[in-house]
Amino acid sequence: MKLLFEKSIQGRSGKYLSECDVPMLDLPSGLERETPPGLPELAETDVSRHYSALESRTFGINDGFYPLGSCTMKYNPKINEKVSSLPGFTGLHPLQPVDSVQGMLEALYLADTYLAQITGMDKMTLQPAAGAHGEFAGLLLFKKYHEERGDTARTKVIVPDSAHGTNPATASMCGMSVVKLPSGGDGCIDMEKLRAVVGPDTAGIMLTNPNTLGIFESNILEITKIVHEAGGLCYYDGANLNAIAGVMRPGDMGFDCIHLNLHKTFSTPHGGGGPGSGAVGCKDFLIKYLPGPQINKAGETYRFEASPQSFGNLLAFYGNALTVLRALAFIMAYGKDGLPRMSQHAVLNANYLKHRLSERFRIFNRGLCMHEFVISMEREAKEHGVAAIDMAKSFLDNGMMAPTMYFPLIVKEALMVEPTETEGKETLDNVADIYIRLYDEAMANPEAAKLFPRNTVIGRPDEVEAARNPRVRYK
Ligand SMILES: *Cc1c(COP(=O)(O)O)cnc(C)c1O
């Protein structure tokens, strides 16, 4: 496909602007270009066809089943785009006088209040722009807490090997060292090993729950107790709250801090790098360290308050406010009774599909899973030469996105499947039929399985090269 620059035809244009009817001013000398900018010259139809062609080459939740485990596209109601693009919100300037932005502050304050209620925390910050950014905020809270108490030997963060990959990366970014905790055979934390690693150097634990195997930690209360008794704090990675929202609260399980990915669980479509929101909630004793300014309510007015003990700012102003507005609309539309139903559907869908697929596939999760489950293609890869990537690529030819591949790292040849909570039974049955048919075809003819996908624009790119040396500039 040619780029717009390659399609450019000299002199062609699609501009509608009428002649300028105000006096023209000359730019101060030295500011003018010497040569015109190298913009493509095209008519409107050339441009709109170009973008439609690009759109038809991509795949999104509007095209079909999108089971990208851990980071799946959850339900993104289209109406929330409308809510977040109301001119009363989008036309604001962050430096406007506070009395002229009371509506926006009320909305952010409400979102803060609801998210705190949902997670069992006392206060949120809406400043972090992504999940990993929220983790960073959380660990800076922990660090500040220990420092203020003069407890400076606490430099180690315990991270189970079933955690999301951003957890250990965040701990390192904060200058802490990571203590990796191997999981037991059931995919949960090995309690003896946990007891053995906590001590006076423990800053805290970071727990992804349900973990990346789709398993809810069975000893959750015991885990937070052990860490607290050792003087550490407990961090809950709540990026994917869609298994538990409205059903149970991390704050009640003993966690001191949590982040949510509003751009996963609470309605902002994600992908392509943003904008997102990694809202962070914490318990009372950590509020004073939160990044500022905080939005607080005094009587009927909302205002900004900065805490002198805050660890500083993570982003300009108040975070990606429009993402927070989508989350607020989502929470208010679902309501107190709707949120638990959302979570129940996420878990029901995952268990239904898991059950159907267990006719053929070996699934790591024994018993019930939460919102996702993990298939292992280890045996098929060893005995038949059909690897996880071969299966995943075959799905692309069949009108659906592939599951997350080769993650979590503790399962060999992993395919991590998370059906969106809003998928109906017909879709799940259809998906299961296709998975099983493709499995049988691949096992009957492993050589042919290496050739998938056949119908996509790009087949099997060198993914390592593409990630390590992306070429994003046109020369
Ligand atoms: C997606 C995800 C993150 C990271 O979120 P980003 O917005 O991509 O930084 C962290 N933890 C879990 C469990 C996730 O699924």
Side-chain angles (χ1 to χ4, degrees):
M1 193 172 156
K2 279 188 178 173
L3 302 176
L4 281 179
F5 291 90
E6 293 163 330
K7 289 178 180 166
S8 176
I9 290 167
Q10 205 179 3
R12 182 165 290 179
S13 104
K15 69 174 187 224
Y16 294 107
L17 297 179
S18 45
E19 287 304 310
C20 183
D21 59 357
V22 291
M24 303 271 271
L25 287 179
D26 286 332
L27 284 174
S29 64
L31 288 183
E32 283 163 359
R33 288 177 172 279
E34 277 158 19
T35 49
L39 297 175
E41 297 176 77
L42 294 157
E44 179 180 347
T45 316
D46 302 327
V47 177
S48 62
R49 283 189 183 150
H50 179 80
Y51 283 104
S52 293
L54 278 179
E55 185 191 341
S56 69
R57 287 175 159 220
T58 60
F59 189 89
I61 191 88
N62 289 335
D63 299 297
F65 189 62
Y66 205 111
L68 198 67
S70 186
C71 301
T72 208
M73 275 297 201
K74 279 95 177 168
Y75 177 40
N76 301 146
K78 308 291 178 280
I79 193 166
N80 291 350
E81 297 308 310
K82 194 135 196 168
V83 173
S84 69
S85 55
L86 290 171
F89 291 129
T90 55
L92 299 181
H93 190 282
L95 292 177
Q96 248 172 270
V98 175
D99 59 6
S100 70
V101 291
Q102 286 291 307
M104 179 57 125
L105 296 194
E106 181 178 358
L108 296 178
Y109 184 85
L110 252 188
D112 180 327
T113 309
Y114 288 152
L115 291 170
Q117 279 172 8
I118 291 167
T119 54
M121 296 290 157
D122 295 313
K123 183 84 181 149
M124 311 289 299
T125 170
L126 305 171
Q127 207 178 56
H133 206 198
E135 293 169 28
F136 189 62
L139 282 202
L140 290 182
L141 288 177
F142 286 14
K143 226 176 148 170
K144 189 92 185 174
Y145 167 80
H146 292 309
E147 272 170 20
E148 297 255 307
R149 304 172 78 237
D151 204 353
T152 48
R154 297 193 177 272
T155 54
K156 293 191 176 158
V157 178
I158 301 165
V159 183
D161 60 2
S162 59
H164 194 266
T166 46
N167 295 181
T170 297
S172 302
M173 285 280 294
C174 291
M176 314 238 202
S177 54
V178 177
V179 181
K180 189 163 136 184
L181 196 63
S183 312
D186 59 355
C188 289
I189 286 186
D190 183 326
M191 300 304 286
E192 285 318 307
K193 293 205 175 110
L194 175 62
R195 283 194 187 88
V197 296
V198 294
D201 55 359
T202 302
I205 188 168
M206 295 182 89
L207 208 66
T208 303
N209 187 57
N211 65 27
T212 58
L213 295 162
I215 297 173
F216 192 98
E217 287 292 342
S218 47
N219 297 304
I220 198 99
L221 295 176
E222 189 65 17
I223 292 169
T224 53
K225 190 162 162 247
I226 291 171
V227 175
H228 280 152
E229 279 175 3
L233 297 179
C234 299
Y235 184 91
Y236 191 100
D237 180 335
N240 307 291
L241 209 73
N242 55 330
I244 67 154
V247 180
M248 59 187 87
R249 310 191 314 163
D252 300 333
M253 302 171 202
F255 287 89
D256 305 294
C257 183
I258 181 176
H259 88 264
L260 303 171
N261 278 31
L262 301 189
H263 52 291
K264 284 179 185 165
T265 312
F266 293 97
S267 165
T268 288
H270 67 288
S277 175
V280 168
C282 68
K283 288 286 178 70
D284 255 332
F285 69 99
L286 293 172
I287 294 177
K288 54 181 178 284
Y289 309 126
L290 283 174
Q294 293 284 310
I295 299 167
N296 286 324
K297 194 176 176 185
E300 285 311 300
T301 44
Y302 297 89
R303 59 172 194 223
F304 293 118
E305 268 170 3
S307 161
Q309 284 148 291
S310 158
F311 64 66
N313 273 343
L314 291 172
L315 202 73
F317 304 112
Y318 328 113
N320 286 327
L322 302 184
T323 300
V324 179
L325 289 179
R326 286 193 199 90
L328 177 63
F330 186 80
I331 293 167
M332 291 179 83
Y334 263 121
K336 201 164 181 243
D337 301 325
L339 272 187
R341 259 186 288 128
M342 165 191 92
S343 302
Q344 286 157 359
H345 276 123
V347 174
L348 179 64
N349 275 0
N351 278 287
Y352 182 73
L353 190 59
K354 170 166 113 56
H355 175 73
R356 284 281 330 263
L357 295 186
S358 62
E359 285 170 35
R360 290 290 190 288
F361 293 88
R362 249 158 299 275
I363 294 174
F364 183 88
N365 314 62
R366 279 161 254 136
L368 290 179
C369 62
M370 296 303 286
H371 58 297
E372 63 195 359
F373 58 90
V374 180
I375 292 172
S376 171
M377 295 290 293
E378 185 180 10
R379 198 153 101 195
E380 289 81 353
K382 259 195 208 132
E383 294 174 9
H384 305 273
V386 178
I389 192 167
D390 303 326
M391 281 315 309
K393 295 290 181 188
S394 72
F395 302 144
L396 300 182
D397 273 346
N398 285 271
M400 60 181 95
M401 182 68 183
T404 297
M405 303 184 296
Y406 296 95
F407 188 82
L409 303 177
I410 49 180
V411 177
K412 296 221 169 77
E413 296 290 334
L415 290 175
M416 183 193 218
V417 184
E418 177 177 0
T420 304
E421 70 269 18
T422 40
E423 298 293 1
K425 181 169 179 296
E426 306 71 30
T427 304
L428 298 178
D429 278 328
N430 185 37
V431 164
D433 293 343
I434 293 173
Y435 270 48
I436 288 169
R437 173 171 62 76
L438 292 170
Y439 181 91
D440 291 344
E441 285 174 12
M443 298 302 280
N445 190 352
E447 285 313 306
K450 299 273 168 224
L451 303 175
F452 289 121
R454 297 198 184 89
N455 305 329
T456 54
V457 179
I458 296 173
R460 294 204 187 190
D462 181 338
E463 289 170 10
V464 175
E465 177 70 15
R468 296 284 182 269
N469 299 308
R471 272 185 283 133
V472 292
R473 277 188 74 184
Y474 173 63
K475 286 205 194 99

